[in-house]
């Protein structure tokens, strides 16, 4: 069907026209981007409504590599996620039209946004792993460039480079997996690869681990999570689109799409579960002490993605996908509300916020809905999606269920902590604050509605099965309710009934001070990686200096010797 191609080719083909439109009117490019994203969302929704049965279609004459045709794979998974991504992207681009209205570089921003949207949709619709990998790299490059959008900000430039370098580790692993499959099976067709799992001649355990590492890098899972908190230096619409709703979910999508490969080995699936549980706790713990509003949301994203990895590890593809969609909706809403607050106050620090509920009513309702959904408050979408994962954990074993339930307490705590510190208490009560403009408020209102009713849509759709609500049980609901109450009560006592008590408690204990300091620094991962990077680069630098004699004849002789060695290896067939 034509829409399977149009839905991702439309934004990609439109991106080069953004600078042309901007040439005639600097701000007209934002309306052009809004129009293109609206048309893309319409195509995505039409594809979902028209979907009847899965199929794979190749484009004749369009060869990517050695006869490997460009393909689209149209099934319940790709169709549902395409509709979700395209609609959410449209809402975020509208928000960006208001949030980024005063910024320079409009053409560059919206061009990158459209390329990213098209590449992300192309990734989801890809019928081959080679095609998926090409789009995988494009979204990574766009992400790094958008994080570093404010080129005059050194922190933003460093964050963009850091995101690019850290995610390369996972990208290399994915590339090795794709090349290995192409060399051994002679194809990278996703359907054929999944159907060939278990066949001789392929180390399927190795392929599974390579796919897992690739997913960990893109989805910011421990120990490759360090790029995501720093990525908050980028514009808020970038955080909402790329680092909450779409790109970071690409790793989860890869694991679900290639689930037969992961299921082949209990070692691989068990590793995915362990990675998910560790990331779930690390992200939640760091979010509970972070003092930067966007970093709180970034760490919570790491935690929520960990929940999806755990679902994949338990064999619950439905739990991972439903949680992916729910998290995308309420986290995008949270970032939008955070951007509204940051624009009004000019700061991201929680210590500089407070008492905003009555002065930014629309933003307050938006943030409240996002935090309640993230904590699992019924009947918002986050409650239903978490129930699917908890149900899978209950069937998998009591220990996993208990760990996820315990992490849910932390989720409830950091959600209500952010809500209370930003919108309640005393804070900056004397500061004049105005609500954001309509272009920022309208998308937030739309997402509040989606967060409230999305579970009805997900439960009633027949595209991706099983239904959302079949996993609800007394045990899982009781665990969610208990986590909600414990997290809220702890937060209320700490930040409303006895404000200042957490600070006094921490200052009175050296152990607590050390723990909070460690969590505030991301448990030292950045320090460890920086030390390793400096050690490696220093060694390479010393080697280069040692080889540089300053004598032209000696340098030419060494170069000639190197060329002779390379030629000998080539003749021997090594190279």
């Amino acid at each position: 069907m034509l829409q399977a191609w149009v839905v991702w080719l439309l934004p990609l083909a439109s991106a080069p026209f953004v600078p042309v439109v901007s040439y005639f009117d600097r701000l007209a490019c934002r309306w052009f981007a809004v129009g293109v994203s609206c048309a893309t969302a319409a195509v995505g929704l039409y594809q979902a409504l028209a979907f009847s049965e899965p199929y794979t279609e190749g484009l004749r004459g369009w060869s990517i590599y050695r006869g490997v045709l460009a393909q689209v794979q149209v099934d319940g998974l790709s169709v549902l996620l395409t509709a979700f991504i395209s609609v959410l992207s449209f809402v975020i681009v509208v928000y960006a039209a208001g949030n980024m209205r005063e910024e320079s570089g409009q053409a560059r921003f919206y061009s990158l946004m459209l390329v990213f949207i098209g590449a992300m949709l192309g990734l989801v619709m890809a019928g081959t792993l080679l095609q998926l990998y090409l789009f995988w790299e494009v979204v990574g490059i766009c992400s790094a460039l958008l994080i570093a959008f404010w080129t005059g900000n050194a922190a933003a430039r460093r964050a963009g480079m850091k995101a690019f370098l850290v995610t390369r580790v996972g990208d290399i692993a994915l590339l090795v997996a794709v090349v290995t499959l192409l060399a051994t099976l002679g194809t990278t067709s996703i359907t054929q690869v999944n159907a060939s799992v278990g066949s001789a001649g392929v180390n399927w355990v190795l392929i599974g681990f390579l796919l897992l590492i690739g997913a960990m890098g893109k989805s910011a899972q421990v120990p490759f999570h360090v790029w995501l908190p720093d990525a908050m230096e980028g514009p808020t619409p970038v955080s909402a689109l790329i680092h909450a709703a779409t790109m970071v979910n690409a790793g989860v999508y890869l694991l679900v799409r290639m689930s037969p490969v992961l299921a082949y080995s209990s070692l691989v699936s068990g590793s995915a579960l362990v990675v998910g549980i560790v990331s779930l706790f690390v992200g939640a713990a760091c979010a509970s002490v972070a003092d930067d509003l966007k970093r709180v949301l970034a760490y919570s994203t790491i935690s929520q993605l960990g929940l999806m990895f755990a679902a994949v590890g338990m064999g619950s593809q439905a739990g991972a996908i439903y949680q992916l969609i729910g998290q995308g909706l309420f986290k995008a809403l949270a970032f939008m509300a955070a951007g509204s607050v940051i624009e009004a106050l000019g700061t991201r620090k929680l210590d500089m916020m407070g008492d905003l509920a009555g002065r930014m009513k629309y933003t307050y309702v938006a943030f409240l809905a996002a935090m309640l959904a993230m904590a699992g408050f019924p009947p918002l979408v986050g409650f239903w999606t978490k129930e699917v994962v908890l149900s899978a954990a209950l069937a998998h074993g009591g220990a996993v269920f208990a760990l996820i339930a315990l992490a849910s307490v932390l989720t409830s705590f950091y959600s209500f902590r952010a809500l209370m510190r930003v919108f309640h208490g005393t804070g900056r009560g004397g500061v004049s604050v105005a609500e954001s403009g309509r272009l920022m408020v309208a998308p937030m209102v739309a997402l509040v509605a989606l967060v409230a009713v999305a579970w009805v849509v997900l439960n009633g759709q027949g595209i991706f099965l099983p239904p959302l609500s079949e996993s609800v049980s007394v045990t899982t609901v009781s665990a969610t309710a208990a986590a909600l109450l414990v997290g809220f009560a702890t937060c209320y006592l700490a930040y409303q009934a006895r404000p200042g008590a957490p600070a006094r408690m921490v200052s009175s204990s050296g152990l607590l001070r050390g723990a909070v300091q460690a969590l505030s620094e991301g448990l030292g991962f950045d320090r460890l990686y920086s030390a390793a990077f400096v050690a490696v680069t220093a060694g390479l630098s010393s080697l280069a200096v040692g080889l540089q004699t300053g004598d032209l004849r000696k340098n030419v002789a060494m170069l000639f010797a190197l060329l002779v060695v390379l030629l000998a290896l080539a003749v021997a067939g090594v190279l």
Side-chain angles (χ1 to χ4, degrees), residues 422-569:
V422 174
F423 290 96
H424 296 280
T426 54
R428 301 177 66 180
V431 178
S432 177
V433 177
E435 182 61 270
S436 298
R438 294 179 181 177
L439 278 177
M440 293 173 64
V441 169
M444 287 192 285
V445 172
L447 280 186
V448 169
L450 284 175
V451 165
V453 305
W455 68 274
V456 179
V457 178
L458 291 175
N459 194 49
Q461 54 83 29
I463 300 173
F464 183 79
L465 299 174
L468 180 64
S469 62
E470 78 169 18
S471 300
V472 176
S473 69
V474 174
T475 304
T476 57
V477 170
S478 299
T480 299
L484 264 170
L485 291 174
V486 172
F488 174 78
T490 305
C491 213
Y492 181 82
L493 289 173
Y495 296 103
Q496 290 295 114
R498 297 181 178 180
R504 291 193 296 270
M505 184 182 301
V506 170
S507 62
S508 65
S509 168
L511 181 62
L512 284 177
R513 282 199 307 274
V516 170
Q517 181 66 24
L519 291 172
S520 298
E521 296 177 355
L523 295 176
F525 280 95
D526 276 315
R527 188 182 304 167
L528 174 64
Y529 294 157
S530 296
F533 181 78
V534 169
V536 171
T537 54
L540 293 175
S541 176
S542 299
L543 177 62
V545 171
L547 292 174
Q548 177 55 256
T549 63
D551 189 320
L552 180 60
R553 289 174 298 178
K554 291 182 179 179
N555 290 341
V556 171
M558 285 191 290
L559 180 59
F560 181 75
L562 176 61
L563 291 175
V564 170
V565 171
L566 291 175
L567 180 61
L569 291 174

Side-chain angles (χ1 to χ4, degrees), residues 55-129:
Y55 65 90
T56 301
E57 183 178 78
L59 191 62
R60 293 181 181 177
W62 188 5
S63 175
I64 299 178
Y65 174 76
R66 292 188 180 180
V68 179
L69 297 179
Q71 294 180 351
V72 289
Q73 182 161 333
V74 181
D75 57 13
L77 177 60
S78 62
V79 168
L80 180 64
L81 289 187
T82 295
F84 160 69
I85 292 169
S86 59
V87 170
L88 189 55
S89 298
F90 165 59
V91 175
I92 293 172
V93 171
V94 174
Y95 176 87
N99 183 254
M100 300 291 290
R101 62 191 180 279
E102 302 296 335
E103 299 293 338
S104 58
Q106 298 271 321
R108 174 164 53 94
F109 177 79
Y110 288 108
S111 294
L112 287 171
M113 290 286 274
L114 289 181
V115 172
F116 175 85
I117 293 169
M120 190 65 206
L121 292 170
L123 186 156
V124 171
M125 295 300 302
T128 71
L129 282 171

